[in-house]
Structure formats: C-alpha cells, structure tokens
Amino acid sequence: MAAFVNISRTTLLGVAWTGTAPGPTVVTPAGTITSTSDISPFCVAGGDPAWNAAMVDVTHFGSLGYTTVIPGLTTGDELVFDANSDWAAAQLGVIVKTTLGGIARPGAVPIYVDIKPTSAARSATNPSFVAACYISKWGPAGGAVGSRAAAQLTLTITGTFADLVA
C-alpha cells in the first residue's frame, strides 16, 4: 500500500499563465503560472483539491421503484486554506490584497492555483493540481487573544481543472 506524508506541499498562486490556462472555456489545460507567489510557508492546513460530479435524478415509472441517476456537471470543491496571518512586506496579507487583487468583485479576472505534493518539478509521481479561481473569502485577522494570528483564504474554482504531470 502506497502512502505519503505531507511535509513539503507547495501551493503557488498567480495572475498570469503560459500555455493553455485552466478556466471556463478550456478543455485541456497545459502550461504553468508565471510570476508565482508561494503561499506554502503560511499554510497550516487545507487547500485540498477534490472533484465532484452532480448526480441528476432521471427516475421514471419504469425504474421499478428505484431512484435512477446520471452524471451531470463536474465541479471542484472550494479550496479553503487555514493560514498564519502576516502583513509584512511580501507576506500573505500583501500577496492576497495587492499581488492577487483581493476579494473577487464584478468584472474580476481569475487567478491561478498550482498545488503539488512536494516542491519538486511536475512528474507522474509529483502531479500538479491546477485551476482558475476567484478569491471568494478572505479572513485576515482571526484567532483569540494570546493565540496565533490566523487567516482563512477561500478560492472558488471556475471552469476546468486538472492534474498535470509535465
């Protein structure tokens, strides 16, 4: 049985992409993010990619009293990151508010995410989960008195997403 432990997972975010970017009108993404911001050092947990297929009920009189479903639209789960809050230059708060443009507003362009199990190059054993996203929630100042300064960043996937191996 194969298993691995998350010790060096890398999460890159950026606003530009080389190649065919993931998103609403792309079938097969390829390429990579340019001018990335690595938020891995701030992340405590979360950002777990997952695929979902909506199941559409097509039950009819001939289904013998059983529910019948077919696959519908596919979507990715929201990527929710629990992170350490930091507002110093080039730290998480500045990356989210300035580099990435902050919370999505009407007319906003998506940002890109690239999540790999390790910091090594993409490969069959180190695939990248890539997607186009919008920042749908940014909670920069959580935590109780005397505890760590916590931040929560939520990215909502739009359009296609994929595991890339090269």
Side-chain angles (χ1 to χ4, degrees), residues 10-14 33 36-40 112-116:
T10 303
T11 301
L12 305 173
L13 301 176
I33 300 172
T36 60
S37 295
D38 185 352
I39 65 165
S40 308
Y112 301 102
V113 62
D114 184 334
I115 300 171
K116 296 185 292 184

Side-chain angles (χ1 to χ4, degrees), residues 5-28:
V5 176
N6 281 326
I7 57 170
S8 63
R9 185 161 121 179
T10 303
T11 301
L12 305 173
L13 301 176
V15 295
W17 187 274
T18 62
T20 308
T25 60
V26 173
V27 176
T28 307

Side-chain angles (χ1 to χ4, degrees), residues 3-134:
F4 69 93
V5 176
N6 281 326
I7 57 170
S8 63
R9 185 161 121 179
T10 303
T11 301
L12 305 173
L13 301 176
V15 295
W17 187 274
T18 62
T20 308
T25 60
V26 173
V27 176
T28 307
T32 191
I33 300 172
T34 58
S35 302
T36 60
S37 295
D38 185 352
I39 65 165
S40 308
F42 311 106
C43 294
V44 176
D48 303 324
W51 285 254
N52 293 299
M55 292 293 132
V56 179
D57 188 333
V58 293
T59 305
H60 48 83
F61 289 119
S63 61
L64 306 173
Y66 291 90
T67 301
T68 306
V69 297
I70 59 171
L73 298 175
T74 301
T75 185
D77 278 353
E78 288 185 329
L79 301 170
V80 180
F81 297 92
D82 177 20
N84 295 318
S85 186
D86 195 334
W87 287 92
Q91 301 301 307
L92 186 62
V94 175
I95 290 169
V96 170
K97 295 287 281 180
T98 306
T99 307
L100 301 176
I103 195 87
R105 301 210 183 336
V109 295
I111 63 168
Y112 301 102
V113 62
D114 184 334
I115 300 171
K116 296 185 292 184
T118 73
S119 58
R122 280 185 197 151
S123 68
T125 58
N126 193 44
S128 276
F129 171 83
V130 297
C133 305
Y134 291 101

